[in-house]
Amino acid sequence: MSSNENAGLINHKHPSVTIPAPESISCEEAYSTKAFRKIAEVVVSSLEQYLEQIEPVSGLALTDPSMLTHKARSLMTSASEEIAPFDESRLRKIIELYTRTGIQVHSKGYMGRQFSGVLPLSGIFDLVNSTVNQPSSFYEAAQLPNVAERIMQDELNTFIGYPENSFAMVTTSGGSLANLTALLSARNHKYPDVWSSGFYGWNKEGKPAVAVSENAHYSIKRAIGIMGIGEDQMVKLPVNENNAIDSSRVQARLKKAKEQGLHVFCMVASACTTDTGSFDPLEELAAIAQEHHIWLHVDGAHGASLLLSDKHRHKLKGLEKADSFAWDAHKMLFTPGTCTLLFYKDKQRSYGAFRQEASYVFEKESDIYTALDSGEQNFECTKRPVIMNLWVSWAMHGKAVFSQKIDHLCQLANQAYEVLLNEDDFEVIHQPQANILCFRYTPDNLDPEVHHHFQLYIRNKTKEDGRFFISKVELNGQEVLRVVFMNHEIEMKNFRMLLQEIRRTGQEMIVAHPAARYETLSIPQ
Amino acid sequence: MSSNENAGLINHKHPSVTIPAPESISCEEAYSTKAFRKIAEVVVSSLEQYLEQIEPVSGLALTDPSMLTHKARSLMTSASEEIAPFDESRLRKIIELYTRTGIQVHSKGYMGRQFSGVLPLSGIFDLVNSTVNQPSSFYEAAQLPNVAERIMQDELNTFIGYPENSFAMVTTSGGSLANLTALLSARNHKYPDVWSSGFYGWNKEGKPAVAVSENAHYSIKRAIGIMGIGEDQMVKLPVNENNAIDSSRVQARLKKAKEQGLHVFCMVASACTTDTGSFDPLEELAAIAQEHHIWLHVDGAHGASLLLSDKHRHKLKGLEKADSFAWDAHKMLFTPGTCTLLFYKDKQRSYGAFRQEASYVFEKESDIYTALDSGEQNFECTKRPVIMNLWVSWAMHGKAVFSQKIDHLCQLANQAYEVLLNEDDFEVIHQPQANILCFRYTPDNLDPEVHHHFQLYIRNKTKEDGRFFISKVELNGQEVLRVVFMNHEIEMKNFRMLLQEIRRTGQEMIVAHPAARYETLSIPQ
């Protein structure tokens, strides 16, 4: 037994531990409650200042990575064997550099993507999660988070409409992981031997295949590749003029797939799509899936939040008939990334994603504590208790803190649509179903043949100018501009400013370079 | 165009928006900077109080889920269509309920698992991530995080020893996801057609198989099931008396696998194992893997952090020869969950996890900004900028804030080992290689045939009593007790108290029920 077993952390008797120089601190100090208080004050006041001083209309300032690296390195201590003391000024500079170089999601110039500033309570609660710092896959390590999950699944089910007690909700880290988990449940349910035996040599009913909208999120395609099914076995379902799956053409497509030697065991619908915010017809697709004994999974990462809105809920009609669906709270429920809710119509199937069959579920229910464990249902071993950010917001403020904002954001998209209808030099692509809207700038003095590439130019130039941050997507082979309203402070005058900026940028270019074709990413000089 | 397009968020002209009652707040208020400041103060002071008042020696108090549900529900607002105002007292009660029902990771009674209280700076920085709230898979959405990743990969490589510029580091959400990602890279590299074609009908060289230590983490087995290879194609490598892979028996096992019609394309080693903290012989395994053209992946989730210690680095010798390895910063680098670093010896292979082949890498390098994107290398679409918690700690304090604590924790395990050597009624299972130690309570007055089940009884009874939280693992069919030292405040007198408690608990039971067999989980009356 060592003679110094009772020594503290900095053990001066131990040869390898150097005595701290005046410019260093002890390990105890760095990990102390005193450090916690001091650092928390600096971080909170830095962030408060950032939030107060945000430019009213700004997007993104791109910095050369090598310059940014140089700056970041200049803020790093050179201490190696000793612990450098906390330096308030350096930390403030780091936070400033971080916030200043980010996309300005709190500004009214940000209309770009599906992430946003979060509900303050929800964001700040991360600090509690990080301090408690326990994985939530097991009840004993996260009692309140596990209880909160059960409460939230029941609260949310008020708007979904599953029969009580027979469904399940699992939390996981992101929509891609939820989609993969659901598809694995589907695969293992339809092919119970694959988990143990692999896909090697399997060929009874045809090649396993998954039917997916042409507009589905890339994570679905990834999941198919990951699971060993192969992307070639992805059956693309045709879409209509609203970019939603055309349910009247699905039966024919499935028939053709069968003739091609494919066995579609799973169908994936979107509610809504990432590109245009379109809702697939869930009711019709559920009926088709049921007829063919196909597992229906719905990717509701973005749009499932509309369930909370009395005005928009009808767009998700039929969701309760899907076998599974994913819902990102870190999108339209304004919690920090990533908090995804994965629902299963049949609770027992939620135990089948990571094993041969879900037959052992009753074993698990034998103990009142372990009955709440989710370690067999979610992919993660160490899972952050992400439900807490959502539950605490729901518990403190109620669902209206989400639904009022959702209603408003969807209304903004509708107002923007109406604005565009009255602008002759813009072409609006679709009537918005959610808070996403696509359009093109197509002035009379531009050759229609370059419209496609011109949108990309406009988007890049706008981004570069730094006042607005919008996105672009490719629809039916055509590039289009896209806005996502995630910031409730945006007003129509800001959207009009955006259109004015696009017009100015576009016309300057057209006048200066009438023959430009915009075929390369480099902006013509 | 709607006539009220310029109205604020709470639009009184709009029929569906009710006028807030006195007891409710507006959406703007809930999302305001003022709310941010107020809530942050409540959260920080609640957590400070919690940290200051932690019981010196306590473990876990399990609560009946239905009682906890009742309590949690009593703290929820009943508001539905209106937004309930922020209520400081309710939030304080929620935080108290959360912290009180958690495992007391900051107490000296916690010696149970691989999670722990975090470095305060690292935990508090989550607040910045949550406020900026942008996914870090793309440079434009997370400039500083992407630069910080490059800086950290170079800083950490000082201790790994890859040739500069040819390796890659990818961050991802958890060790399980890193292991899956690496195994997918291996699979897609060895079987470039599987991503598109699937495993269907593949049979040229034998069934694809993965060689894994008997003691490997369950996430490896899961990855094999997920990828469509099938758990039956897991070739178990024999271990020696230290629970590490016995490299002298690997060649024979691989030969046998080949004779069984298996084609081992990937070998997974642990550094260290979760059970006993054993390090597999990486140097020898790398040589064998190279000889057979097998991808070597090392699961260094827990133990790779020992690279930062001059005293313990040698245990990872050969790591730089592995094709890939995973390293959890949320374990021994004391950042909040989950921050995993996935390293590849060959940068180009890091682009192969989620596609057919990694051939397009040069395309990506065409732009100084997109060259830093990691969206093709990591699974997540929305990826939390987890690197920031690690980098800011490294930047402010230097690596000693990790290495000093690691050295100390490993020293604690060694001291505990020496204590146990001198206790006749305890049996120590192994000399610790890291901060994990397994042992059994085997007093003379207990029938050796019940030793196995008795350890489980002891573990559960100790947990139930609530002063200490330890874990148990099954080694070679035998249950053993396990401590993991993650709290630097633990002293040997606390470990001696644990042994005393085990002794007291055990003897009380043995005396009261001399014929008990401990074969069921229910504790004899």
Side-chain angles (χ1 to χ4, degrees):
Chain A
M1 192 176 70
S2 160
S3 64
N4 50 29
E5 62 166 48
N6 287 323
L9 179 55
I10 298 303
N11 178 352
H12 295 276
K13 288 181 203 162
H14 199 286
S16 80
V17 177
T18 42
I19 294 166
E23 287 302 309
S24 68
I25 58 170
S26 71
C27 204
E28 281 99 342
E29 282 175 90
Y31 287 88
S32 69
T33 304
K34 204 176 143 194
F36 177 87
R37 174 84 232 186
K38 197 168 166 183
I39 296 166
E41 273 170 7
V42 174
V43 168
V44 168
S45 67
S46 294
L47 288 174
E48 189 190 13
Q49 199 176 17
Y50 162 67
L51 291 171
E52 268 171 358
Q53 296 176 357
I54 282 161
E55 285 279 321
V57 182
S58 67
L60 164 71
L62 265 184
T63 315
D64 182 322
S66 62
M67 282 177 56
L68 191 55
T69 302
H70 183 75
K71 276 195 189 170
R73 281 216 172 262
S74 75
L75 293 168
M76 292 173 70
T77 178
S78 59
S80 173
E81 295 313 312
E82 290 172 358
I83 303 176
F86 173 68
D87 177 343
E88 177 175 334
S89 138
R90 272 201 292 135
L91 183 60
R92 284 193 187 275
K93 282 178 190 156
I94 285 174
I95 296 172
E96 202 202 328
L97 191 60
Y98 187 13
T99 50
R100 193 159 38 81
T101 56
I103 296 173
Q104 301 300 300
V105 293
H106 299 87
S107 170
K108 289 182 259 189
Y110 169 68
M111 306 178 188
R113 297 202 180 275
Q114 292 157 283
F115 47 81
S116 70
V118 300
L119 181 70
L121 174 60
S122 189
I124 293 163
F125 209 80
D126 257 359
L127 194 47
V128 190
N129 282 339
S130 293
T131 303
V132 176
N133 196 40
Q134 289 168 43
S136 66
S137 299
F138 300 94
Y139 182 72
E140 72 171 28
Q143 298 184 71
L144 189 58
N146 276 286
V147 156
E149 284 195 10
R150 296 298 166 111
I151 291 174
M152 281 313 298
Q153 78 173 22
D154 291 337
E155 291 281 310
L156 296 174
N157 190 43
T158 319
F159 308 100
I160 303 167
Y162 286 130
E164 271 177 52
N165 299 322
S166 61
F167 72 102
M169 183 190 91
V170 179
T171 59
T172 194
S173 315
S176 297
L177 202 49
N179 286 335
L180 174 63
T181 304
L183 265 63
L184 281 166
S185 299
R187 185 196 76 174
N188 298 347
H189 175 68
K190 299 284 175 175
Y191 306 100
D193 292 340
V194 165
W195 187 266
S196 295
S197 308
F199 264 125
Y200 176 85
W202 193 95
N203 67 359
K204 278 174 289 186
E205 298 173 87
K207 286 190 185 186
V210 180
V212 180
S213 161
E214 283 176 7
N215 291 334
H217 189 256
Y218 78 86
S219 62
I220 304 295
K221 200 172 170 185
R222 272 201 177 175
I224 296 169
I226 288 169
M227 295 192 295
I229 289 169
E231 281 185 357
D232 293 348
Q233 278 66 253
M234 195 165 88
V235 173
K236 287 203 174 175
L237 300 176
V239 297
N240 60 24
E241 67 286 358
N242 298 320
N243 296 297
I245 293 175
D246 183 347
S247 55
S248 70
R249 290 155 71 198
V250 169
Q251 294 276 18
R253 186 66 193 88
L254 292 178
K255 188 161 172 273
K256 191 177 154 207
K258 199 175 178 181
E259 289 161 7
Q260 290 168 325
L262 298 174
H263 179 235
V264 173
F265 69 94
C266 182
M267 192 192 302
V268 182
S270 305
C272 51
T273 63
T274 299
D275 290 351
T276 56
S278 306
F279 288 81
D280 287 333
L282 304 183
E283 195 99 53
E284 289 90 329
L285 294 174
I288 297 170
Q290 198 176 15
E291 180 190 334
H292 294 275
H293 307 289
I294 293 173
W295 180 298
L296 177 63
H297 173 68
V298 177
D299 181 355
H302 187 84
S305 294
L306 271 65
L307 282 172
L308 303 187
S309 159
D310 292 342
K311 215 184 298 178
H312 297 284
R313 188 174 306 120
H314 67 93
K315 291 167 186 167
L316 290 134
K317 200 158 173 266
L319 183 66
E320 75 286 356
K321 293 175 184 162
D323 294 283
S324 56
F325 77 92
W327 180 350
D328 281 352
H330 58 272
K331 293 197 168 80
M332 297 275 273
L333 299 183
F334 316 107
T335 73
T338 54
C339 172
T340 302
L341 316 172
L342 172 58
F343 284 86
Y344 291 88
K345 186 169 64 182
D346 177 350
K347 183 181 181 178
Q348 190 155 347
R349 291 197 187 168
S350 71
Y351 291 92
F354 304 111
R355 56 172 293 128
Q356 197 145 354
E357 278 176 287
S359 54
Y360 70 112
V361 53
F362 296 110
E363 251 176 66
K364 288 187 60 69
E365 301 287 353
S366 60
D367 171 330
I368 58 163
Y369 308 118
T370 56
L372 275 79
D373 290 353
S374 61
E376 302 281 351
Q377 294 163 294
N378 60 240
F379 176 79
E380 303 96 324
C381 178
T382 303
K383 182 174 75 172
R384 207 177 154 92
V386 288
I387 193 70
M388 289 304 291
N389 309 73
L390 176 61
W391 176 71
V392 79
S393 308
W394 191 278
M396 290 297 287
H397 292 305
K399 72 121 182 160
V401 83
F402 309 112
S403 60
Q404 284 190 16
K405 183 159 169 172
I406 290 167
D407 279 350
H408 184 72
L409 298 176
C410 292
Q411 194 188 334
L412 283 177
N414 256 318
Q415 289 171 352
Y417 169 75
E418 288 176 37
V419 167
L420 284 167
L421 284 181
N422 290 320
E423 303 291 348
D424 290 341
D425 50 350
F426 282 89
E427 180 193 3
V428 65
I429 305 291
H430 63 107
Q431 188 163 6
Q433 298 295 303
N435 56 334
I436 299 174
L437 182 63
C438 295
F439 58 98
R440 299 199 302 170
Y441 178 52
T442 52
D444 281 347
N445 60 344
L446 186 70
D447 179 356
E449 287 202 359
V450 304
H451 280 174
H452 170 65
H453 292 119
F454 190 65
Q455 308 308 313
L456 193 55
Y457 165 76
I458 286 287
R459 192 263 165 171
N460 289 344
K461 188 74 176 74
T462 309
K463 187 172 81 177
E464 195 185 282
D465 289 348
R467 294 221 307 154
F468 290 95
F469 186 89
I470 61 170
S471 49
K472 66 97 199 166
V473 289
E474 200 179 302
L475 290 178
N476 307 317
Q478 286 292 317
E479 299 281 8
V480 303
L481 303 174
R482 171 175 173 265
V483 288
V484 186
F485 294 103
M486 291 295 283
N487 182 350
H488 59 273
E489 292 179 342
I490 293 171
E491 295 169 86
M492 272 311 106
K493 69 177 180 195
N494 305 123
F495 184 69
R496 286 187 188 282
M497 280 165 67
L498 166 68
L499 298 187
Q500 199 47 42
E501 178 133 329
I502 290 173
R503 216 172 250 135
R504 185 186 52 74
T505 297
Q507 287 302 321
E508 275 174 17
M509 186 61 207
I510 292 166
V511 171
H513 301 274
R517 307 308 289 171
Y518 309 96
E519 280 168 1
T520 64
L521 275 176
S522 60
I523 293 160
Q525 297 304 311
Chain B
M1 192 174 72
S2 161
S3 64
N4 51 27
E5 62 167 49
N6 287 324
L9 179 56
I10 298 302
N11 177 352
H12 296 275
K13 289 182 202 160
H14 200 285
S16 82
V17 177
T18 44
I19 295 166
E23 288 301 308
S24 68
I25 58 171
S26 72
C27 205
E28 282 98 342
E29 281 174 272
Y31 288 87
S32 69
T33 304
K34 205 175 143 196
F36 177 87
R37 174 84 232 184
K38 196 168 166 184
I39 296 167
E41 273 169 8
V42 174
V43 169
V44 169
S45 66
S46 295
L47 288 173
E48 189 190 14
Q49 198 176 16
Y50 162 67
L51 291 171
E52 269 171 358
Q53 296 176 356
I54 281 162
E55 286 277 322
V57 181
S58 67
L60 164 71
L62 265 184
T63 315
D64 182 322
S66 63
M67 281 177 57
L68 192 56
T69 302
H70 183 75
K71 275 193 187 170
R73 280 218 172 261
S74 75
L75 294 167
M76 293 174 70
T77 178
S78 59
S80 173
E81 295 314 310
E82 292 174 355
I83 303 177
F86 173 68
D87 176 343
E88 178 175 332
S89 138
R90 272 200 293 133
L91 183 60
R92 285 194 187 273
K93 282 178 191 157
I94 285 174
I95 295 173
E96 203 203 325
L97 192 60
Y98 187 13
T99 51
R100 193 158 39 80
T101 56
I103 295 173
Q104 301 301 300
V105 294
H106 298 87
S107 169
K108 289 181 260 189
Y110 169 68
M111 305 178 188
R113 297 202 178 275
Q114 292 158 282
F115 48 81
S116 70
V118 301
L119 182 69
L121 174 60
S122 188
I124 294 163
F125 208 79
D126 257 358
L127 194 48
V128 190
N129 283 340
S130 293
T131 304
V132 176
N133 196 37
Q134 289 169 42
S136 65
S137 299
F138 300 94
Y139 182 73
E140 74 171 26
Q143 298 184 69
L144 189 58
N146 276 287
V147 156
E149 285 195 10
R150 297 297 166 113
I151 291 174
M152 280 314 297
Q153 78 174 22
D154 292 337
E155 292 280 310
L156 296 175
N157 190 42
T158 320
F159 308 99
I160 304 166
Y162 286 129
E164 270 178 51
N165 300 322
S166 62
F167 73 102
M169 184 190 90
V170 179
T171 59
T172 194
S173 314
S176 296
L177 202 49
N179 286 335
L180 175 64
T181 304
L183 264 62
L184 281 167
S185 299
R187 186 197 75 175
N188 298 347
H189 176 69
K190 298 285 174 173
Y191 306 101
D193 292 341
V194 165
W195 188 265
S196 295
S197 307
F199 264 125
Y200 176 85
W202 193 95
N203 68 359
K204 279 173 289 187
E205 298 171 88
K207 287 190 184 185
V210 179
V212 179
S213 161
E214 284 176 7
N215 291 334
H217 189 256
Y218 77 86
S219 63
I220 304 296
K221 199 173 172 185
R222 271 202 177 175
I224 296 169
I226 289 169
M227 294 192 296
I229 288 169
E231 282 185 357
D232 294 347
Q233 278 65 253
M234 194 165 90
V235 173
K236 287 202 173 174
L237 300 175
V239 298
N240 60 24
E241 67 286 358
N242 297 322
N243 296 298
I245 293 174
D246 183 347
S247 56
S248 71
R249 290 155 70 197
V250 169
Q251 294 276 18
R253 186 67 194 85
L254 292 177
K255 189 161 173 272
K256 192 178 153 204
K258 199 174 177 182
E259 289 161 7
Q260 290 168 324
L262 298 174
H263 178 235
V264 174
F265 68 93
C266 182
M267 192 192 301
V268 182
S270 305
C272 51
T273 62
T274 299
D275 291 350
T276 56
S278 305
F279 288 81
D280 287 333
L282 304 182
E283 195 97 54
E284 288 90 328
L285 294 174
I288 296 170
Q290 197 175 16
E291 180 191 332
H292 294 275
H293 308 288
I294 294 172
W295 180 298
L296 178 63
H297 173 67
V298 177
D299 180 354
H302 186 84
S305 294
L306 271 63
L307 282 170
L308 303 187
S309 159
D310 292 342
K311 215 185 297 178
H312 297 284
R313 188 174 305 120
H314 67 92
K315 291 167 186 167
L316 290 135
K317 200 157 173 265
L319 184 66
E320 75 286 357
K321 293 175 185 164
D323 295 283
S324 56
F325 76 92
W327 180 349
D328 281 353
H330 58 273
K331 293 198 169 80
M332 296 273 275
L333 299 183
F334 316 106
T335 73
T338 54
C339 171
T340 302
L341 317 172
L342 172 59
F343 284 86
Y344 291 88
K345 185 169 67 182
D346 177 350
K347 183 181 180 175
Q348 190 154 348
R349 292 198 186 166
S350 72
Y351 291 93
F354 305 111
R355 55 171 295 127
Q356 196 144 355
E357 277 175 289
S359 54
Y360 70 112
V361 54
F362 297 110
E363 251 175 65
K364 288 188 58 70
E365 302 286 353
S366 60
D367 171 328
I368 58 163
Y369 308 118
T370 56
L372 275 78
D373 290 353
S374 60
E376 302 281 351
Q377 295 162 293
N378 59 240
F379 175 80
E380 301 96 325
C381 179
T382 303
K383 182 174 75 172
R384 208 178 154 91
V386 287
I387 193 69
M388 290 304 290
N389 309 72
L390 176 61
W391 176 71
V392 78
S393 308
W394 190 279
M396 290 296 287
H397 292 306
K399 71 122 183 160
V401 83
F402 309 112
S403 59
Q404 283 190 16
K405 183 160 169 172
I406 290 167
D407 280 349
H408 183 73
L409 298 176
C410 293
Q411 193 188 334
L412 283 178
N414 256 316
Q415 288 171 352
Y417 171 73
E418 288 176 36
V419 166
L420 284 168
L421 284 181
N422 288 320
E423 304 291 348
D424 290 341
D425 49 350
F426 283 89
E427 180 192 3
V428 65
I429 306 291
H430 64 106
Q431 188 163 4
Q433 299 295 302
N435 55 333
I436 300 174
L437 181 63
C438 295
F439 58 98
R440 299 201 300 172
Y441 177 51
T442 52
D444 281 347
N445 60 345
L446 186 71
D447 178 356
E449 287 203 359
V450 304
H451 280 174
H452 169 65
H453 292 118
F454 191 65
Q455 308 308 312
L456 193 55
Y457 165 75
I458 286 288
R459 192 264 165 173
N460 289 344
K461 187 74 176 72
T462 309
K463 187 172 82 179
E464 195 185 284
D465 289 348
R467 295 221 307 154
F468 290 95
F469 187 88
I470 62 171
S471 50
K472 67 97 199 168
V473 289
E474 199 178 304
L475 290 179
N476 306 316
Q478 286 292 316
E479 298 282 6
V480 303
L481 303 174
R482 171 175 173 265
V483 288
V484 186
F485 293 103
M486 292 295 283
N487 182 350
H488 59 273
E489 292 179 343
I490 292 171
E491 295 168 85
M492 271 311 107
K493 69 178 179 194
N494 306 123
F495 184 68
R496 286 187 189 281
M497 279 165 68
L498 167 68
L499 299 187
Q500 198 49 41
E501 178 134 329
I502 291 172
R503 217 173 249 137
R504 184 185 53 74
T505 298
Q507 287 302 321
E508 275 174 17
M509 186 60 207
I510 292 167
V511 170
H513 301 275
R517 309 307 289 170
Y518 308 97
E519 281 169 1
T520 63
L521 275 177
S522 60
I523 292 161
Q525 296 304 309

